[in-house]
Amino acid sequence: MSHNNIKILPGATVCEDCTLEGDITIGGGTIIHPRVTIIAEGGPIIIAEYCIIEEYSTIIHKKSDKQEVPPKPLFIGAHNVFEVGCKLESPCGHIGESNVFECKSFVGVDVKIGSGCVIGAACCLTASQTLSDNTVIWGSEHHVREALEKQPSQLLQLDFLSKVMPNYHRLRKPNVHKRPPAARQSQDSSVKSANNV
Amino acid sequence: MAYLIQEDYVKYVCSCGQLKPITSLYFCRHCLKIRCGFCICHEVDSHYCANCLENMPSSEARLKKNRCSSCFDCPSCFHTLSTRAMIAQARPSAQDGASGDTKVENKQPKKTYYLSCFNCRWTSRDVGIPDQPVASGGWPERTNPFANRFNQLLDYYKAVAQLEKQEKLERERKKFAIRGKYITLTDKTGLTGAMARNIAGLPPSESGSSATLANFTPSQASAEVEELPEDFYTKEVDLKQITSLSQRLAAPARQPARGSRLWPLPKRLSVKRSQRCRACDHNLTKPEYNPGSIKFKIELLAYYHVPEVKIISFESVKPGTRSELLLKVTNPTGHEMRLRLLQPSDVPVEEEQPKSIEKSLEKSLTLEKVCNN
């Protein structure tokens, strides 16, 4: 990526010590820990509100051969939790909300994820598949279960982190100053404008 | 040289002939012999729950079917369930609306508790167990559908055991008709207890057991099985809803076929056991009574007495050439130790080993026989 176009909405806590490449939009209330890698080489990445992205997790929007023009964004819904060391590779697509990617989990290309899913610790999804809402995958044998309700959101944790993080880490400052309801539209328009460029 | 997850490369010959890594061997100080778990007596010292570390006497443990009353395992992945709290606002009902005083109570947030598994994220809400107002205990229990039959069988076998015990006592009494120091009622009056009861007009003592023996109906094997539903082969299978074999077997009373019927499993109790040498009846290990402690009162492990052999380096063996094997032998004791390396020709004949296994097996079998008789 020759140029980085990183938009941080007000209320987001983004540590300076992380690798952000390409066209990335980070929603308000989202917390990005240090040592996180987010690479948007295949197209823009949009992270919605109230996500937690923990240390050493990697989110890559991969370049694919059948690249559409303009490239489709990778949209990550609200209230997702990416735990330490998880990896998400996706050429494009949509990830729902309230998902949990546990420690050291891996989600490869061609995996569509609904809402309220849990990818268990060290679980590895490589085959192309679609996870319906509230799917829970756990264990070394990748047991699959369907939960009754979505995973509870980590609002307390978010609150705590947004208070504590600034005390111990250098943060990137929000560079988009718009109100949250309007932010969504501006995101879309900014994506479009970025694509046009 | 023993590893936690790797293969054990150095194995020691136990006095019973088994090959074991040094970590699972004991050393009897009184017989001066290596012993392993195969050739010693295991005795249960105490029952306790591994989660809440509650100690339980063995009679209580038996009564509770060797399960803890306050801890649960996940029925989905068998991990221990944790209690989670949730602050829920009490719902305003129609009654509350009528009277103004209750409003004050409603304002206080109420804590409710549910069980949740941190591994597979199963929660007690998934199967519709209502949240509890207290943190521990009070979880609804499901009755065993076969409880009646179960109790019947239990009573029957208790009666059988009692009868056998009595018969054995009678036989012993006949066998050893030796007059002891003490004079029993029978000796004094020529009456047995049963006769005395009969004369006094009391019901015979074993009437309860004989009645259960008489009333017992053995189970009937039947060749008729309920037919499968018609759409059994055609209906699409939803694997997320169907329980696995291990999940069903974990709840043997109900064996739920669907995930929505899973119920928290009361946690199984663990035991602390002491181990005893069979030859000299001395304790080899004896744990401390407190379940929270992992120390031993007596701990005669081979690791403290037997030289530890480690393989430092080795060459792959090629025909016709010498290859080097570097061993490190450590003396764990503070005393001088003499070590002799044997040539292959000096190694004692292997044939003895299986015999000794058989012997110990035979011994344990005869022990059992004695117990049965």
Side-chain angles (χ1 to χ4, degrees), chain A residues 83 100 102 118 132-133 135-136 138-139 144-149 151-152 154, chain B residues 76-77 84 114 118-123 125-128 238-241 247:
Chain A
E83 288 184 4
V100 181
E102 284 186 6
V118 178
S132 54
D133 287 2
T135 305
V136 180
W138 89 90
V144 180
R145 204 173 67 76
E146 197 176 341
L148 195 72
E149 49 191 23
Q151 298 305 314
Q154 302 266 3
Chain B
S76 167
C77 69
R84 301 206 75 185
Y114 64 99
F118 288 157
N119 185 27
C120 70
R121 311 230 171 197
W122 184 91
T123 66
R125 292 170 169 180
D126 281 13
V127 292
D238 184 7
L239 282 178
K240 282 179 192 166
Q241 280 300 320
Q247 282 169 355

Side-chain angles (χ1 to χ4, degrees), chain A residues 89-104:
Chain A
E89 284 182 4
S90 183
C92 67
H94 187 99
I95 284 165
E97 47 190 53
S98 298
N99 297 303
V100 181
F101 299 81
E102 284 186 6
C103 300
K104 284 276 182 186

Side-chain angles (χ1 to χ4, degrees), chain B residues 196-226:
Chain B
R197 275 176 158 269
N198 209 1
I199 290 164
L202 291 165
S205 60
E206 74 267 52
S207 69
S209 63
S210 64
T212 47
L213 283 181
N215 291 342
F216 180 74
T217 44
S219 3
Q220 296 282 326
S222 142
E224 283 166 33
V225 184
E226 237 179 85

Side-chain angles (χ1 to χ4, degrees), chain A residues 18-152:
Chain A
C18 56
T19 316
L20 304 177
E21 280 177 23
D23 188 349
I24 299 164
T25 309
I26 296 161
T30 289
I31 300 211
I32 297 185
H33 287 242
R35 309 302 299 166
V36 165
T37 311
I38 302 175
I39 298 172
E41 56 177 21
I45 294 179
I46 302 166
I47 298 167
E49 303 87 31
Y50 304 111
C51 289
I52 301 177
I53 303 178
E54 291 184 357
E55 289 89 346
Y56 297 104
S57 44
T58 312
I59 297 171
I60 302 174
H61 187 172
K62 280 235 164 154
K63 233 183 230 172
S64 69
D65 303 334
K66 295 172 278 178
Q67 189 91 39
E68 287 176 50
V69 182
K72 269 191 176 173
L74 167 62
F75 184 80
I76 295 170
H79 295 284
N80 281 308
V81 179
F82 294 84
E83 288 184 4
V84 176
C86 73
K87 199 170 181 190
L88 174 71
E89 284 182 4
S90 183
C92 67
H94 187 99
I95 284 165
E97 47 190 53
S98 298
N99 297 303
V100 181
F101 299 81
E102 284 186 6
C103 300
K104 284 276 182 186
S105 61
F106 174 82
V107 175
V109 292
D110 265 349
V111 182
K112 291 187 183 70
I113 293 171
S115 292
C117 296
V118 178
I119 321 293
C123 284
C124 199
L125 304 185
T126 46
S128 73
Q129 55 192 301
T130 306
L131 299 186
S132 54
D133 287 2
N134 299 350
T135 305
V136 180
I137 298 172
W138 89 90
S140 54
E141 286 163 41
H142 294 73
H143 295 283
V144 180
R145 204 173 67 76
E146 197 176 341
L148 195 72
E149 49 191 23
K150 269 184 197 170
Q151 298 305 314

Side-chain angles (χ1 to χ4, degrees), chain B residues 76-96:
Chain B
S76 167
C77 69
F78 315 124
H79 190 253
T80 307
L81 288 176
S82 334
T83 314
R84 301 206 75 185
M86 221 191 70
I87 297 161
Q89 220 79 37
R91 273 174 227 156
S93 59
Q95 284 180 339
D96 295 343

